[in-house]
Amino acid sequence: SGIMLGLLMASFSIMQFIFAPLWGRLSDRIGRRPVLMVGLAGSVVFYTLFGIATVMESMPLLFVARIGAGLAGATISTAHAYIADTTSLENRPQGMALIGLAFGLGFTLGPLFGGLAFSWEELGQTLDEASATVTPAPWPGYVAAGLSAISLIIAIFVLPESLHAKSESAARTRFNMEAIRAAVSVPSVGLILLTSFIVVFSFSNLETTLSLILKGQEGVGSPFQLSLGNVLLTFAFIGFVLALVQGGLVRPLSGRLPEAVMAGSGAVLQIASFAWIIALLTTDEPSMGAVYGVLALCTSGFAFITPSLNSLLSRRSDPAKQGAVLGMGQSVSSLARIVGSGLGIPLLMASVTLPYYVAGGLMALGLVLIAIVGVSGRDFSVDEQTQEATGESG
């Protein structure tokens, strides 16, 4: 059901909200590599459990698998910190876009592997038809566990540590909760975190409700009723667009255009896409071509926003606290998805277009905040921090 889907999505995000800053702070102390390896090992375990939960048809076990996968996946903040460690300020936007490209490729292949849960005949059924007769196979969980195992092997034998001895020592001597609170309290950093929350909250309205709209959830009033296979292909298309835009547009443009301009452009695209979605949902027989067009526009906007804000957050943070601050950024994004999951579906049940009116309004607010972020604050400077500390002590 829609409520259960929302709870499953939220359970993953809640774990990321709690553990992303903790993993990030730990990586500032012991290094990025061991934290990433622990996260990958956890993914192997919990995605295997996901497959077992499917075989047992156990909803409680499925929740345990999702909660554990969220805990392990919270190490994405450490991956962002790894990129920050290994790129210059000038190349930071391209580095963050590289993570987005990897995500896009994963989201392209992921839904296609999700088709392993069904037979060819079942993929041709609508979700309502399949719900009465289909028992999904466990292979998506097992394949995810296998891919995580491959990543873990690569991390063990190939991935070098990015937190070098000098910066690692500095992180160990200067690390404390008060220092993290001080970093987050910097107006520029705090404003970027608020902006990230608003824009991710806006997009999560689409993330949470899209599958229900595509499958024609009862009580929603959607004009669509796609088959299982077409739902999976639609999500694969979203991932393909994300990878294409991140690799073909965002990376080449990053460094040439300010991050605020990139993020603001993405916000404008998203506002336009939400208006287009509202128009489609009020049309009697919208074409799938139009659906793919609006999803491409919306995904492109998000592809511009996220790496740009992550790059700004990294540039304006103390390098010795990159893991903690970027972990806080990931935690804020997860909180936005939790709230989005909790709000998006009730809004959808009230009116099929209401989530997208809310999303458009939130993104308009996000656009204003992006503009403010662009004209306020500056890159972190050790010299300036030293001068400020000297002045305070004097």
Side-chain angles (χ1 to χ4, degrees):
S1 68
I3 293 176
M4 194 62 69
L5 175 63
L7 289 174
L8 278 170
M9 294 181 69
S11 66
F12 185 93
S13 297
I14 288 170
M15 290 300 101
Q16 291 204 317
F17 168 67
I18 295 171
F19 285 96
L22 300 179
W23 285 128
R25 291 199 298 268
L26 183 62
S27 76
D28 284 337
R29 302 187 70 179
I30 68 173
R32 317 300 187 200
R33 184 171 176 269
V35 170
L36 290 172
M37 288 193 296
V38 169
L40 289 168
S43 294
V44 174
V45 172
F46 288 107
Y47 282 126
T48 300
L49 192 61
F50 188 95
I52 295 172
T54 307
V55 173
M56 297 178 62
E57 299 184 25
S58 170
M59 186 61 71
L61 196 58
L62 187 62
F63 268 96
V64 171
R66 290 296 291 162
I67 289 169
L71 190 158
T75 53
I76 182 61
S77 61
T78 304
H80 283 111
Y82 192 105
I83 293 294
D85 292 340
T86 55
T87 57
S88 64
L89 288 177
E90 293 74 17
N91 294 328
R92 190 71 44 81
Q94 292 96 322
M96 295 300 174
L98 186 62
I99 291 185
L101 171 60
F103 263 87
L105 291 173
F107 282 125
T108 301
L109 298 175
L112 300 180
F113 279 111
L116 295 171
F118 310 102
S119 68
W120 281 110
E121 293 75 15
E122 291 166 348
L123 287 172
Q125 296 178 328
T126 65
L127 296 186
D128 286 340
E129 293 169 342
S131 63
T133 58
V134 172
T135 300
W139 291 110
Y142 295 154
V143 170
L147 292 172
S148 298
I150 293 172
S151 297
L152 176 60
I153 292 170
I154 294 173
I156 292 173
F157 293 104
V158 178
L159 186 73
E161 177 56 62
S162 67
L163 194 63
H164 302 299
K166 181 178 179 180
S167 58
E168 183 178 349
S169 173
R172 283 176 172 165
T173 56
R174 292 188 286 174
F175 170 80
N176 57 71
M177 285 303 298
E178 188 60 36
I180 301 305
R181 281 193 288 269
V184 176
S185 68
V186 174
S188 178
V189 171
L191 189 57
I192 294 171
L193 292 175
L194 175 61
T195 305
S196 295
F197 177 85
I198 295 295
V199 299
V200 174
F201 182 16
S202 170
F203 188 72
S204 68
N205 279 272
L206 176 66
E207 283 184 318
T208 306
T209 58
L210 180 60
S211 61
L212 301 181
I213 287 177
L214 292 177
K215 85 182 190 71
Q217 173 74 26
E218 184 178 355
V220 169
S222 170
F224 303 103
Q225 195 171 28
L226 272 62
S227 67
L228 285 170
N230 283 333
V231 171
L232 295 175
L233 287 174
T234 301
F235 278 96
F237 171 77
I238 292 173
F240 174 74
V241 172
L242 182 62
L244 186 65
V245 174
Q246 292 274 21
L249 288 177
V250 176
R251 288 201 73 200
L253 291 176
S254 297
R256 299 180 183 180
L257 296 176
E259 285 97 331
V261 172
M262 298 279 287
S265 301
V268 171
L269 292 177
Q270 289 219 298
I271 293 170
S273 68
F274 290 135
W276 192 359
I277 291 173
I278 292 170
L280 286 178
L281 291 175
T282 53
T283 302
D284 291 335
E285 295 183 2
S287 69
M288 284 307 299
V291 171
Y292 284 125
V294 72
L295 291 177
L297 185 68
C298 190
T299 304
S300 298
F302 197 68
F304 272 85
I305 293 174
T306 47
S308 302
L309 291 180
N310 282 330
S311 176
L312 273 174
L313 187 61
S314 173
R315 290 167 65 102
R316 297 183 181 182
S317 303
D318 184 346
K321 305 182 184 76
Q322 291 277 2
V325 175
L326 289 171
M328 186 65 67
Q330 184 63 36
S331 182
V332 165
S333 296
S334 298
L335 178 61
R337 286 189 167 91
I338 295 168
V339 177
S341 298
L343 184 63
I345 292 176
L347 289 176
L348 182 68
M349 296 302 177
S351 170
V352 70
T353 58
L354 189 54
Y356 308 107
Y357 279 111
V358 172
L362 287 170
M363 191 58 68
L365 174 60
L367 178 59
V368 173
L369 292 175
I370 289 169
I372 296 173
V373 166
V375 298
S376 63
R378 64 182 69 182
D379 291 345
F380 176 83
S381 169
V382 175
D383 293 337
E384 289 181 6
Q385 187 191 51
T386 303
Q387 291 173 4
E388 289 175 3
T390 303
E392 289 173 1
S393 63

